[in-house]
Amino acid sequence: MHPLDTATTLRAIAPGRLTGTTSDAYWNFAGPFGGYTAALLMRAVMDDPRRLGPPVAQTINYCGAMTKGAFEIVVTLARSGKATQHWSLELHQDGAVAATGSIICANRRETFAHVVATRPTAPPPVDVPRLTPDGRLPWLSSYDFRFVEGGPGRVFGNDAPTADGLGPSRTMLWLKDAPDRPLDFVSLSALCDCFILRLVQMRGTMVPMSTVSMTSYFHAMPGELSSQGTAHLLGIADAKRFAANFHDQSMELWASDGTLLASGVQTVWYKE
Amino acid sequence: MHPLDTATTLRAIAPGRLTGTTSDAYWNFAGPFGGYTAALLMRAVMDDPRRLGPPVAQTINYCGAMTKGAFEIVVTLARSGKATQHWSLELHQDGAVAATGSIICANRRETFAHVVATRPTAPPPVDVPRLTPDGRLPWLSSYDFRFVEGGPGRVFGNDAPTADGLGPSRTMLWLKDAPDRPLDFVSLSALCDCFILRLVQMRGTMVPMSTVSMTSYFHAMPGELSSQGTAHLLGIADAKRFAANFHDQSMELWASDGTLLASGVQTVWYKE
């Protein structure tokens, strides 16, 4: 079984209540990386027999760091119609709410289709060196990261600071699960959070910080995920404003063939 | 009392339960425009004595159209810490959930600050003609809209179609409450949804459609809102991909002095 599937195995303990156990493979420095929590809540809905169709949107509010061990997920189908379905989710641990969230699923059919955004050009993944994590943050080793621009050199202390002392806000990289795993909505949900926080990217220093809320939109139809298989996605991250303990971050995830699979935003708290 | 304040007056009926009545001033064609629902949920949290500090993020999931008349809001403080506070919200009407949502408030202090995105240039509002709505969609008359680019000409049938038969995806406009009202988080929350849906903007035709979920990030500190007062905000809206009943939409709201006050995304369902 792939580590992501092991890490997101859930067991029903009552109607709308599931339990599972955290996995070290997706651990960050305080709790698992946020994409793991996203994948857990996505798994809870994907496995639910009441699900209408593929997910189109997910919001996760990170209320507190998860600790190692057991957790419980409460799944509520807030409203279901012919076209869309609204799920509300809570992740509980040690008597507190660790995360709240919502997932919207939909009945998706062929309609008017149009592409506005186009994928930026990038050298193929085979021509870009893979990041070799030092093991301090285990989740980094659960992905294959190949930085095309805005790489983590400054984060790991290898690059000279730029003129204003800050690195670029924008990062472009190839990324996928390691070991390989065919893309599905559970892994895509986690990949939406696989970008180094822009605060770290730009300042190159670590201060206490945490994603507080993340919203991901899944443009991808199920057939587009199966076509992508185990190939690298092209990811783009950027930010608009840093002020008074918070900054925003935006991201796009593109398929090999140039299809936009997901886009999203997050807001990040930082201490100083 | 300003129409927005009348429309968002809430009365506590039990701990964490509030009631109010819809207002015709913010009516769209089926239910109020989504920004009104956003303002209602924001009001519920802004008025709560347990609130830690200003809001930084809001997500609203539009589960079903609201009808005219009374509604109830259920407010739950999911988790509160020294730095952030997570609120979960539900809007009930006629025995069903009409909207779910979350708002995050925070203790905001001076920290590292940096601006990445800069405001595009635009002629001053006084040099841009104000939209004169025809009254079919009452909420349009509750705002002062001045389109700088990507205007609603096509929507109202005044413009020739472009070469591919679609209008531009991007709109830039000046906007503010009408009549004037000093900017606060309640009105800012509604202004985040004041953009004509990109599907209508591009196709120039009306089909059944509805925002399904909206996430807004409030970069603005309270002092930045009071400095803005009753001046026009510069709004930008765009989209990335339209496919299989859904398209995304992104937006930015800028202050007169070039400060980014809010940014956000929404996902929109459309029938065909």
Side-chain angles (χ1 to χ4, degrees):
Chain A
M1 196 183 251
H2 189 279
L4 184 63
D5 295 300
T6 305
T8 58
T9 296
L10 299 174
R11 186 169 55 84
I13 49 174
R17 286 177 57 196
L18 306 160
T19 187
T21 307
T22 60
S23 164
D24 291 350
Y26 294 93
W27 211 255
N28 199 5
F29 54 92
F33 97 104
Y36 171 67
T37 314
L40 285 177
L41 299 182
M42 183 56 74
R43 172 72 77 189
V45 169
M46 292 305 290
D47 286 356
D48 198 293
R50 296 170 292 176
R51 184 169 58 83
L52 177 69
V56 293
Q58 177 176 34
T59 292
I60 306 127
N61 303 301
Y62 298 95
C63 304
M66 287 178 72
T67 55
K68 293 197 179 190
F71 57 81
E72 197 174 309
I73 295 175
V74 180
V75 183
T76 307
L77 183 50
R79 186 137 169 190
S80 194
K82 279 186 297 183
T84 59
Q85 191 178 52
H86 289 265
W87 300 85
S88 294
L89 299 126
E90 283 190 359
L91 193 148
H92 295 249
Q93 205 178 28
D94 306 324
V97 177
T100 64
S102 53
I103 291 177
I104 299 164
C105 295
N107 187 5
R108 303 195 71 178
R109 297 165 298 103
E110 287 294 317
T111 58
F112 168 77
H114 182 69
V115 168
V116 176
T118 53
R119 201 188 79 178
T121 54
V126 69
D127 292 344
V128 183
R130 179 176 171 182
L131 175 75
T132 309
D134 64 8
R136 281 180 298 165
L137 304 180
W139 77 275
L140 293 175
S141 303
S142 293
Y143 291 93
D144 176 327
F145 292 119
R146 294 163 192 252
F147 286 84
V148 176
E149 76 174 54
R154 277 178 53 78
V155 179
F156 295 109
N158 303 324
D159 284 8
T162 51
D164 61 357
L166 296 174
S169 64
R170 185 174 189 265
T171 287
M172 176 158 64
L173 81 166
W174 292 105
L175 71 169
K176 64 174 180 172
D177 284 284
D180 277 353
R181 181 181 180 282
L183 189 63
D184 65 7
F185 286 107
V186 172
S187 57
L188 185 60
S189 173
L191 285 157
C192 289
D193 194 39
C194 271
F195 300 90
I196 290 170
L197 295 183
R198 298 298 87 192
L199 187 82
V200 183
Q201 164 62 27
M202 294 188 73
R203 293 170 91 187
T205 55
M206 294 291 277
V207 295
M209 75 193 91
S210 174
T211 296
V212 170
S213 186
M214 177 169 77
T215 292
S216 308
Y217 293 155
F218 307 108
H219 306 274
M221 296 288 285
E224 293 172 345
L225 297 191
S226 48
S227 298
Q228 178 67 10
T230 61
H232 284 90
L233 306 181
L234 187 70
I236 315 269
D238 210 335
K240 294 179 195 286
R241 186 180 176 196
F242 299 68
N245 304 104
F246 287 86
H247 75 82
D248 67 295
Q249 184 163 321
S250 58
M251 74 86 205
E252 294 170 355
L253 285 172
W254 297 87
S256 314
D257 68 358
T259 303
L260 182 63
L261 299 178
S263 60
V265 290
Q266 59 179 261
T267 181
V268 177
W269 169 85
Y270 56 94
K271 188 168 186 179
E272 57 200 49
Chain B
M1 196 182 251
H2 189 278
L4 184 63
D5 295 300
T6 307
T8 59
T9 296
L10 300 175
R11 185 169 55 85
I13 49 173
R17 285 177 58 197
L18 306 160
T19 188
T21 306
T22 60
S23 164
D24 291 351
Y26 294 94
W27 212 255
N28 199 5
F29 52 91
F33 97 103
Y36 171 67
T37 314
L40 285 177
L41 300 182
M42 183 57 74
R43 171 74 76 189
V45 169
M46 292 306 289
D47 286 355
D48 198 294
R50 296 170 292 175
R51 185 168 56 84
L52 177 68
V56 294
Q58 177 177 34
T59 292
I60 306 127
N61 302 302
Y62 298 95
C63 304
M66 286 178 74
T67 54
K68 293 196 180 191
F71 56 82
E72 196 174 311
I73 296 175
V74 180
V75 183
T76 308
L77 182 50
R79 188 141 168 185
S80 194
K82 278 186 296 184
T84 58
Q85 191 179 51
H86 289 264
W87 300 86
S88 295
L89 299 126
E90 283 189 1
L91 193 149
H92 295 249
Q93 206 179 28
D94 305 325
V97 178
T100 65
S102 52
I103 291 177
I104 298 165
C105 295
N107 187 3
R108 303 195 72 178
R109 296 165 299 102
E110 288 292 317
T111 58
F112 169 76
H114 183 70
V115 167
V116 176
T118 53
R119 201 188 79 177
T121 54
V126 69
D127 292 344
V128 183
R130 179 176 172 185
L131 176 74
T132 309
D134 64 7
R136 280 180 300 165
L137 305 179
W139 76 276
L140 293 175
S141 303
S142 293
Y143 291 94
D144 175 327
F145 293 119
R146 294 164 192 252
F147 287 83
V148 176
E149 76 174 53
R154 276 180 55 75
V155 179
F156 296 109
N158 304 324
D159 283 9
T162 51
D164 62 358
L166 295 173
S169 64
R170 186 174 188 265
T171 286
M172 175 157 65
L173 81 165
W174 293 107
L175 70 170
K176 64 173 180 173
D177 284 284
D180 277 353
R181 181 180 179 282
L183 189 63
D184 65 6
F185 286 107
V186 172
S187 57
L188 185 60
S189 172
L191 284 158
C192 289
D193 194 39
C194 271
F195 300 91
I196 290 170
L197 295 182
R198 299 297 87 192
L199 187 81
V200 182
Q201 165 60 28
M202 294 188 72
R203 293 169 90 187
T205 55
M206 296 291 279
V207 296
M209 74 193 91
S210 174
T211 296
V212 170
S213 186
M214 176 171 78
T215 292
S216 307
Y217 294 155
F218 307 108
H219 305 275
M221 296 288 286
E224 293 171 346
L225 297 192
S226 48
S227 297
Q228 178 67 12
T230 60
H232 283 90
L233 306 180
L234 186 70
I236 315 268
D238 210 336
K240 295 178 194 287
R241 185 180 176 197
F242 299 68
N245 304 105
F246 287 87
H247 75 83
D248 67 294
Q249 185 162 319
S250 59
M251 74 87 204
E252 294 171 354
L253 285 172
W254 298 85
S256 314
D257 69 357
T259 303
L260 182 63
L261 299 178
S263 60
V265 290
Q266 58 179 260
T267 180
V268 177
W269 170 84
Y270 56 94
K271 189 167 183 181
E272 57 200 49

